[in-house]
């Protein structure tokens, strides 16, 4: 029987197989046919400690029998309060920079980014109402960025075939060139010039652009970009949806640059990947610009499931894991294992541009049909599926972003398959 399910990023007309997963544990997915897959991309970058982590699963079960859902407009509950306190406690800090003080909940990375944009524009709008500043509305973005698939998030992301159908709905932005090797100063000069025109905010994926091709840039550049924004009074927004929760080797990527953004979006690993939840953190000036006795000045954003109690309980359990266990130690060990194997793979003649940031690794397959819409990526996905691996290449870029529980044997299987893929699909010299 044909399934009525419409899957994301899936062209059903190609009739590609859709594996049926029945359970998961750690880094392993168990399929209905009895086979298994190594989840090498954390099920779209969300699973941090491993699937069905017992502490998180127990917290979800306990909360489900106590309080499942509550309207969050003018009501609260302890899981949300606990998580907000926990997020503020671990948020990036730097001497002389305002601290992130306030937490606004939502339910996905895309909506966390939408909230960040609305906070930024609301900030300038309200300052203008008070005669404290001119109103600002222009958003600056980094070339090749991806921030989600809702309208605002698409507007500030790279334009292309994946959002062409909705071009009439997207608002105009200022694009700063990506600081590729040798082009770092051009990026900073462009940002300096754009900030002089008094935009509202600049949003970045700190240190690593994910869907744009796993593109890396240095903490020094991130620090310099934030400094330019501070100099011109431009709000600096960090999209830590993917880079947060240890992916880059620190809890949040901004820590490596010694910066505190004015607004920071987090999601994905906030619950360990078990259940949807997101949060947007803001400094006191952002919150205070909306603080008033006038109800017309409140922050107009919500969703029905804002701060869902079950999701918050999962996030509280995740925060406890970070407090009580050596997660960063596990991350460092996994990163070392990846580095050793990636170094060997980089000598394969069919690969180029091997790169790594902690537990995230990527390498480009040299192939004739390397475009995003070529059939290379689907053929690679099928190849890896046959070998018991969940990998989802971005065109000819094959990347790994595994859960932190991945073991050495699983790493060996992954890299053996990558080398085999190079033998079969790569252009040989």
């Amino acid at each position: 029987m044909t399934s009525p399910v419409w899957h994301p990023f899936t062209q059903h007309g190609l009739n590609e197989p859709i594996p049926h997963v029945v359970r998961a544990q750690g880094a392993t997915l168990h399929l209905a046919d009895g086979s298994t897959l190594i989840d090498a991309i954390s099920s779209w970058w969300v699973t941090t400690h491993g699937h069905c982590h017992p502490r998180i699963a127990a917290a979800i079960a306990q909360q489900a029998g106590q309080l499942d859902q509550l309207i969050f407009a003018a009501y609260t509950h302890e899981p949300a309060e606990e998580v907000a306190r926990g997020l503020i406690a671990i948020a990036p800090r730097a001497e002389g920079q305002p601290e992130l003080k306030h937490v606004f909940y939502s339910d996905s990375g895309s909506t966390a980014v939408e909230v960040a944009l609305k906070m930024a524009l609301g900030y300038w709008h309200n300052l203008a109402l008070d005669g404290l500043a001119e109103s600002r509305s222009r958003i600056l973005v980094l070339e090749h960025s991806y921030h989600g698939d809702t309208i605002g998030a698409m507007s500030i992301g790279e334009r292309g075939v994946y959002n062409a159908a909705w071009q009439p709905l997207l608002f105009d932005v200022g694009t700063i060139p990506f600081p590729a090797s040798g082009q770092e100063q051009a990026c900073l000069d462009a940002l300096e010039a754009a900030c002089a025109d008094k935009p509202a905010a600049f949003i970045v994926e700190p240190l690593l652009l994910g869907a744009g091709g796993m593109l890396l840039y240095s903490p020094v550049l991130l620090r310099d970009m934030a400094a330019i924004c501070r100099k011109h009074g431009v709000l600096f927004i960090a999209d830590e949806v993917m880079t947060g929760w240890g992916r880059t080797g620190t809890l949040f990527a901004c820590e490596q640059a010694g910066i505190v953004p004015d607004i920071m979006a987090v999601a994905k690993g906030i619950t360990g990947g078990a259940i949807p939840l997101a949060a947007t953190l803001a400094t006191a000036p952002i919150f205070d610009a909306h603080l008033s006795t006038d109800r017309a000045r409140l922050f107009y954003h919500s969703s029905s499931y804002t701060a869902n109690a079950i999701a918050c309980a999962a996030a509280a359990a995740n925060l406890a894991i970070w407090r009580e266990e050596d997660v960063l130690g596990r991350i460092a060990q996994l990163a070392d294992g990846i580095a050793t194997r990636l170094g060997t793979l980089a000598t394969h003649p069919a690969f180029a541009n091997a790169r790594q940031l902690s537990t995230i690794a990527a390498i480009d397959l040299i192939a004739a049909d390397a475009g995003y819409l070529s059939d290379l990526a689907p053929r690679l996905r099928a190849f890896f599926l046959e070998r018991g691996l969940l990998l989802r290449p971005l065109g000819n870029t094959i990347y790994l972003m595994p859960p932190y529980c991945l073991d050495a044997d699983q790493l060996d299987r992954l890299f053996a398959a990558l080398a085999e893929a190079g033998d079969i699909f790569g252009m040989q010299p």
Side-chain angles (χ1 to χ4, degrees), residues 51-137:
H51 289 278
C52 299
H53 191 283
R55 294 184 67 173
I56 297 174
I60 290 172
Q62 191 277 332
Q63 187 63 45
Q66 181 175 336
L67 173 66
D68 52 359
Q69 166 64 10
L70 174 72
I71 179 176
F72 210 63
Y75 288 83
T76 194
H77 51 73
E78 185 52 32
E81 297 291 340
E82 180 182 352
V83 172
R85 292 191 298 266
L87 288 173
I88 294 304
I90 64 172
R93 281 178 168 74
E95 186 176 354
Q97 298 181 40
E99 295 181 3
L100 293 162
K101 288 283 193 180
H102 299 276
V103 176
F104 192 97
Y105 288 108
S106 58
D107 48 19
S108 74
S110 184
T111 52
V113 167
E114 297 276 349
V115 168
L117 296 176
K118 291 175 71 173
M119 282 180 176
L121 297 186
Y123 169 83
W124 289 111
H125 175 78
N126 290 343
L127 288 187
L129 287 178
D130 292 334
L132 299 175
E134 297 178 8
S135 182
R136 302 187 185 189
S137 59

Side-chain angles (χ1 to χ4, degrees), residues 4 7 119 143 162 218 237 277 292 326 378:
H7 290 266
M119 282 180 176
E143 181 187 22
Y162 26 84
S218 74
I237 304 173
L277 185 71
S292 173
D326 184 19

Side-chain angles (χ1 to χ4, degrees), residues 61-420:
Q62 191 277 332
Q63 187 63 45
Q66 181 175 336
L67 173 66
D68 52 359
Q69 166 64 10
L70 174 72
I71 179 176
F72 210 63
Y75 288 83
T76 194
H77 51 73
E78 185 52 32
E81 297 291 340
E82 180 182 352
V83 172
R85 292 191 298 266
L87 288 173
I88 294 304
I90 64 172
R93 281 178 168 74
E95 186 176 354
Q97 298 181 40
E99 295 181 3
L100 293 162
K101 288 283 193 180
H102 299 276
V103 176
F104 192 97
Y105 288 108
S106 58
D107 48 19
S108 74
S110 184
T111 52
V113 167
E114 297 276 349
V115 168
L117 296 176
K118 291 175 71 173
M119 282 180 176
L121 297 186
Y123 169 83
W124 289 111
H125 175 78
N126 290 343
L127 288 187
L129 287 178
D130 292 334
L132 299 175
E134 297 178 8
S135 182
R136 302 187 185 189
S137 59
R138 187 162 177 78
I139 304 295
L140 302 180
V141 305
L142 199 57
E143 181 187 22
H144 306 309
S145 294
Y146 173 82
H147 297 284
D149 292 320
T150 49
I151 296 301
M154 282 195 296
S155 295
I156 58 173
E158 189 78 1
R159 307 293 170 92
V161 65
Y162 26 84
N163 50 38
W166 308 287
Q167 189 70 28
L169 299 177
L170 308 184
F171 57 77
D172 185 46
V173 298
T175 302
I176 306 304
F178 178 76
S181 179
Q183 301 299 314
E184 295 88 350
Q185 192 58 49
C187 168
L188 296 177
D189 291 345
L191 179 59
E192 184 88 44
C195 284
D197 289 335
K198 299 183 178 179
F202 178 45
I203 183 168
V204 301
E205 298 168 83
L207 302 187
L208 173 72
L209 275 61
M214 298 296 165
L215 306 177
L216 303 178
Y217 63 99
S218 74
V220 172
L221 279 167
L222 180 61
R223 183 193 64 207
D224 290 346
M225 290 189 290
I228 290 171
C229 289
R230 282 196 303 274
K231 171 184 171 184
H232 292 276
V234 176
L235 297 180
F236 189 81
I237 304 173
D239 177 356
E240 291 258 19
V241 169
M242 183 267 286
T243 56
W245 304 107
R247 292 294 184 189
T248 68
T250 49
L251 189 50
F252 297 107
C254 286
E255 296 174 35
Q256 298 180 43
I259 62 167
V260 179
D262 298 289
I263 304 173
M264 184 174 81
V266 296
K268 291 191 184 295
I270 190 172
T271 65
I275 193 168
L277 185 71
T280 306
L281 282 63
T283 58
I286 305 298
F287 178 83
D288 291 345
H290 295 84
L291 188 63
S292 173
T293 57
D294 181 358
R295 289 189 180 90
R297 298 277 292 270
L298 63 83
F299 184 56
Y300 285 96
H301 188 93
S302 184
S303 64
S304 300
Y305 287 96
T306 296
N308 173 263
I310 297 173
C312 287
N318 175 52
L319 287 167
I321 292 169
W322 276 94
R323 286 193 304 269
E324 299 165 13
E325 300 181 19
D326 184 19
V327 181
L328 289 177
R330 288 198 289 269
I331 288 172
Q333 184 177 9
L334 176 58
D336 287 345
I338 291 173
T340 299
R341 293 162 175 82
L342 184 65
T344 300
L345 185 67
T347 65
H348 193 296
F351 289 105
N353 192 23
R355 50 208 187 270
Q356 180 183 1
L357 183 58
S358 188
T359 62
I360 304 171
I363 196 164
D364 298 335
L365 181 65
I366 302 171
D369 53 346
Y372 185 82
L373 289 179
S374 77
D375 69 348
L376 176 62
R379 287 190 292 129
L380 284 170
R381 287 202 305 269
F383 170 84
F384 293 128
L385 179 61
E386 290 174 356
R387 283 149 185 79
L389 308 174
L390 170 53
L391 286 167
R392 193 176 176 88
L394 299 164
N396 67 316
T397 296
I398 305 173
Y399 72 89
L400 307 178
M401 199 183 300
Y404 307 144
C405 60
L406 198 75
D407 64 31
D409 289 341
Q410 291 169 322
L411 270 177
D412 287 340
R413 282 184 57 191
L414 279 170
F415 277 90
L418 293 179
E420 187 182 0

